[in-house]
Amino acid sequence: MDYRKKETTVVVSQKEISAGIFDLRVRTQAAAYCVPGQFAGIFPPSDSRMLMRPISICEANAESGEIRFVYRVAGEGTKLISALKEGDTAELLSVLGNGFPLDAAEGKKVAVMGGGIGIPPMLYTAKKLAGKTAETEIYLGYRNNDTFLASEFTPYGTVNVVSEDGSTAYKGNVLDALKERGFKPEVIFACGPMPMLRAIKRYAEEAGCIAYISLEERMACGVGACLGCVAKTVNKDEHSHVNNTRVCTEGPVFDSREVEI
Amino acid sequence: MDYRKKETTVVVSQKEISAGIFDLRVRTQAAAYCVPGQFAGIFPPSDSRMLMRPISICEANAESGEIRFVYRVAGEGTKLISALKEGDTAELLSVLGNGFPLDAAEGKKVAVMGGGIGIPPMLYTAKKLAGKTAETEIYLGYRNNDTFLASEFTPYGTVNVVSEDGSTAYKGNVLDALKERGFKPEVIFACGPMPMLRAIKRYAEEAGCIAYISLEERMACGVGACLGCVAKTVNKDEHSHVNNTRVCTEGPVFDSREVEI
Amino acid sequence: MDTRVSIAGVELKNPVMTASGTFGSGMEYGRFVDLNRLGAIVTKGVASVPWPGNPTPRVTETPSGMLNAIGLQNPGIDVFVERDLAFLKDYDVPVIVNVCGKTVEEYLEVVERLGDTSVAMLEINVSCPNVKEGAIAFGQKADALFHITEEIKKKAKQPVVMKLSPNVTDITEMAKAAEAAGADAISLINTITGMKIDVAKRKFVLANKTGGLSGPAIRPVAVRMVYQCAHAVSIPIIGMGGIATAEDALEFIMAGATAVSVGAVNFANPYATVEVIEGMERYLQDTHTETIRELIGCVDR
Amino acid sequence: MDTRVSIAGVELKNPVMTASGTFGSGMEYGRFVDLNRLGAIVTKGVASVPWPGNPTPRVTETPSGMLNAIGLQNPGIDVFVERDLAFLKDYDVPVIVNVCGKTVEEYLEVVERLGDTSVAMLEINVSCPNVKEGAIAFGQKADALFHITEEIKKKAKQPVVMKLSPNVTDITEMAKAAEAAGADAISLINTITGMKIDVAKRKFVLANKTGGLSGPAIRPVAVRMVYQCAHAVSIPIIGMGGIATAEDALEFIMAGATAVSVGAVNFANPYATVEVIEGMERYLQDTHTETIRELIGCVDR
Ligand SMILES: Cc1cc2nc3c(=O)[nH]c(=O)nc-3n(C[C@H](O)[C@H](O)[C@H](O)COP(=O)(O)OP(=O)(O)OC[C@H]3O[C@@H](n4cnc5c(N)ncnc54)[C@H](O)[C@@H]3O)c2cc1C
Ligand SMILES: Cc1cc2nc3c(=O)[nH]c(=O)nc-3n(C[C@H](O)[C@H](O)[C@H](O)COP(=O)(O)OP(=O)(O)OC[C@H]3O[C@@H](n4cnc5c(N)ncnc54)[C@H](O)[C@@H]3O)c2cc1C
Ligand SMILES: Cc1cc2nc3c(=O)[nH]c(=O)nc-3n(C[C@H](O)[C@H](O)[C@H](O)COP(=O)(O)O)c2cc1C
Ligand SMILES: Cc1cc2nc3c(=O)[nH]c(=O)nc-3n(C[C@H](O)[C@H](O)[C@H](O)COP(=O)(O)O)c2cc1C
Ligand code: FES
Ligand code: FES
């Protein structure tokens, strides 16, 4: 269960599934070694750009040998990546980081929560949790009714689609919906924008449940060497003993109690 | 007869016509404005490489709107250019420089001489001279019997293929062959390596004929602005009055008497 | 939407100039862009007499940049005034003449000759790394820079912009020396000294061995130096170094530059200057910013 | 074919090292390359006590380069000796420890602690642009550099390499100061101070505002400085700055470096170090060059 390589992969397909949101599938042996919550570094096809773009694994299929990424075009790098077409090659550094501790969900009431472009890794998470939990409720937060990926969650739990503008079933944020439904998870798995993760951290502390949250930080190496990507921790970190842990290797998934966000 | 643009052209075809020698055809309106001896700047498809690669026009066809280049892979830039395929785009700055003064050949005995990768522009030159001269003899110098392009010259004059290793009709250099044949040109048009051009300059002075030679120099702008590409001149140059003339705009073709090489 | 800026009393339609030595005197690029669209044209360095420059090769490419060792080839002030300034008179664009010399006297000669021309400003090149005498020698020591600036200010009829070299330990010292000596503005950065070796031939690529590095590669260094100078002096700053797009230009303005120059990128994209201007206009529009002047130094606000 | 070089009596299998701070202590990249293949491993800067480093964002990309403002986060010498040096003991590769500090005393503490370890050499980082105290303050003034070098030489049990900053007017002055104070070698260049601004947000991209520029963008500057130093001092030089390929590494060696370090490029290509070594071997073979040592400084021959 350990794979870490930089390699040239082949693009199986790429399409724009929503405005500015792309679904990219590549073929690589790494597909057999992924855990939900892990990510890959995709290098923009550009020889003036040195750094990879960390993108979460949205699905990985050992049989087909395919990894799927769903990402938003945020800047020049992702724009270049979005121009890749079937048959093109994509340089990938994978598999990076630690995924969600799925075992912690065994037999529990679980909330899977994703916000915005944090939703893709939660699809893979929900899928891998299927059958393991006592109950899975899925909360997906969007800005409006452009609810990319939402329909794909249906097989894996009760899906609650939340939007800021109220154009979906629930209005507000994912925690509003959870409270409205009166769901009381024992474990939360979450990825999304920082305000959402902060709210979840607070909620988990108050409600006495455990939340695993996936953090984002600027990265250079992706493998723990450069110390570029640290997050503040409550306790001394393993590596430098300075309450600054590496998101790329100790994360990106953390027990919300461990990090100061 | 004046066209100077940077534009995105479409690759019509590209093939390797000899080891490391490529034949690239692109579609551009510039094709209607070319004179033999002029060149274009081809930008390598790479966003870390700022400068164009000056490549002579090997043929231009106003009707089909195509320009043909024949070039050798010399370094990283030409290597990247050689990977372009039909349908790809190529960034081109053209049409650059002054071509051969074809009128000077009107009714004269003319030698068209090309050496190595200096041969491509001479094909276009020979073609455009056809019917204008009293007589055209063509001298093509190669290292060995890899005589790329030679057969294409046949319609335009008596072709004499020379090689350093003697594996073709004549052994030695193009001037050896000319002397061996006893041909006495009134005008020479030439492109090739510096030693060949130096020898032609000397020959022309001794034989009292006029030689137009095409020079190479490292270029940045290609349009006369940077003063990167100068050649030493006998008289004060037009631009800076310092006996340093710009190859990209005052050349690349010069009367051999004007330049110190 | 208002893109106007002014430097030492000279009004510019917009803050986008050409960098000296990369745009000739405008003639060559007039076929690609409408020169009247430019904020100003900064000409190639001109000396009191013609200079032949360095042997070739003079230019080569590096990752996201290039090295040049032109060595300030120029026709001298006489030809320049007769030909280049005459050509530029037909355009409605302020002309900034870049001045070079080997001694203070040589600089002064050019400055005085330009006194009764229509030239809008003088940019004094004390930072060219490619000539042995003069130039950078004045640009790497604060006292030498102070002295030459003072002398030039005594004779100059136009506002004086001192062009600083990045090849120094502390750029703010140089900026302060220029300001203290009366410079009306500073421009930066000139090129960073670099070298390239052809490992197949085991030879220097440039005949001059070293050359000046320019292009996008150096942009982060240039932005940093502009920011530092903006905090060290209160005269206006013309920022440059690797500007290719409006975003790049805005980085300099937000760091504290009043105007910017597009240099080596002209070679890669002869339309770059006007594209930067248009992109800037779009940025103002899209962000509902009334004037470009609001953005000067805004990164600190 | 012989790729061996020696620096201050330390024998290296080949001249290819890792640049401090880009390779951790080797652990992380041991999954990509065989650490035993390397000429030497240069570790991340270590101080007398743990340093937390700067706030994030600490890294960002620039054209053919990157900026970092890690701020020398490190676990301090105790953890470093127990964990990192212990890990490296299992490898047959010389270890060079990069040392940082805020005061001369702090540097000395680390140097002394390393005295009775198996460490092969010490690299003294007086050139990190990302911390406010210490570091670069010692690296931008010749007398300060002389002083700290002298003090360290008094206590050091291993050969001392002084790592120079490129953010100076004259790198040869610094090299000479280090040599005069007894340094056994110098390494250069550390990063060039740079800045990036997010024009959409009108904010600095890095929390620290400035960062150190590294990567291929700076290579021409680094090669030039190595060349200059090779002509100024006779102690060996470890060259670095944007090395990505064997050709790049050979540029430094031909300019006068005895060894080279691969830095930021490890992030783009984790196999870079070994690819550089292999490419160098191919070059020696293809050009019928017997030893890499013949190539040191050969551009002048
Ligand atoms: C562990 C992890 C997983 C992620 N998963 C996804 C995902 O599944 N889908 C998705 O759309 N996005 C994801 N992101 C965010 C994604 O990495 C950025 O949007 C992307 O790097 C932006 O690159 P760019 O070149 O388009 O932007 P630019 O702003 O041009 O990038 C410049 C530099 O900043 C870095 N950068 C910019 N924004 C971010 C960011 N938010 N996080 C980290 N680095 C950034 C880039 O990597 C690059 O090095 C993830 C980030 C992390 C850390
Ligand atoms: C007017 C003119 C016409 C030319 N016509 C042809 C042609 O028809 N066919 C052909 O094969 N070659 C031609 N050349 C040479 C061709 O430009 C170079 O071989 C090419 O630029 C090498 O680029 P590179 O990236 O592969 O090499 P690199 O060595 O990687 O290039 C690095 C830099 O050096 C420049 N450079 C390298 N070699 C030369 C050279 N010999 N002349 C000018 N610049 C050079 C490149 O343009 C680039 O800027 C011509 C040159 C000139 C000046
Ligand atoms: C080919 C070339 C010639 C230059 N000539 C001059 C000059 O004559 N005077 C001057 O002050 N700067 C000269 N420069 C420096 C530029 O004006 C500018 O300061 C530098 O290139 C950085 O900007 P850039 O990265 O946009 O090119 C020259 C630069 C280049 C590339
Ligand atoms: C992320 C990062 C961290 C660095 N940390 C250190 C350090 O701790 N000590 C040091 O002397 N240099 C440090 N450096 C500088 C490098 O060792 C090297 O001198 C510089 O990056 C130039 O080489 P490069 O272009 O190959 O990266 C660091 C560089 C980077 C990119
Ligand atoms: S990105 Fe380098 S340590 Fe995390
Ligand atoms: S290449 Fe710029 S003047 Fe000729």
Side-chain angles (χ1 to χ4, degrees), chain C residues 20 25 41-49 74-86 88-89 94-101 105-125 152 155-161:
Chain C
S20 176
S25 294
I41 288 180
V42 184
T43 64
K44 170 78 188 161
V46 63
S48 53
V49 294
N74 78 86
I77 187 67
D78 291 340
V79 173
F80 178 81
V81 169
E82 274 161 45
R83 179 186 57 194
D84 301 70
L85 285 189
L88 286 166
K89 270 207 190 85
V95 174
I96 302 179
V97 177
N98 185 274
V99 178
C100 59
E105 290 63 41
E106 287 182 21
Y107 280 97
L108 292 177
E109 212 180 309
V110 180
V111 166
E112 291 188 280
R113 277 287 269 114
L114 291 169
D116 37 48
T117 64
S118 58
V119 160
M121 272 194 267
L122 309 176
E123 180 180 57
I124 311 301
N125 179 4
I152 287 171
K155 306 280 165 152
K157 298 231 175 88
Q158 288 98 341
V160 170
V161 183

Side-chain angles (χ1 to χ4, degrees), chain C residues 64 193 197 199 224 251 283, chain D residues 64 193 197 199 224 251 283:
Chain C
S64 295
T193 311
I197 293 172
V199 300
R224 181 260 298 182
E251 265 198 87
Y283 180 92
Chain D
S64 295
T193 311
I197 293 171
V199 299
R224 180 262 295 184
E251 267 198 85
Y283 179 92

Side-chain angles (χ1 to χ4, degrees), chain C residues 172-191:
Chain C
T172 65
E173 247 185 59
M174 310 308 294
K176 284 184 209 157
E179 180 178 50
D184 300 285
I186 52 175
S187 61
L188 64 154
I189 60 177
N190 210 314
T191 53

Side-chain angles (χ1 to χ4, degrees), chain D residues 41-65:
Chain D
I41 289 180
V42 184
T43 64
K44 170 78 188 161
V46 62
S48 53
V49 293
W51 286 13
N54 290 323
T56 59
R58 292 178 172 183
V59 290
T60 190
E61 208 183 46
T62 70
S64 295

Side-chain angles (χ1 to χ4, degrees), chain B residues 220 226-228, chain C residues 18-22 43-46 59 66-68 70 72 98 100 123-128 163 188-191 212-216 218 240-243 261-265 267:
Chain B
C226 75
L227 305 181
Chain C
T18 60
S20 176
T22 65
T43 64
K44 170 78 188 161
V46 63
V59 290
M66 63 172 286
L67 290 169
N68 90 80
I70 308 297
L72 293 171
N98 185 274
C100 59
E123 180 180 57
I124 311 301
N125 179 4
V126 286
S127 45
C128 176
K163 183 158 179 186
L188 64 154
I189 60 177
N190 210 314
T191 53
L213 183 63
S214 60
I218 67 170
M240 73 199 79
I243 294 175
S261 295
V262 177
V265 163
F267 309 153

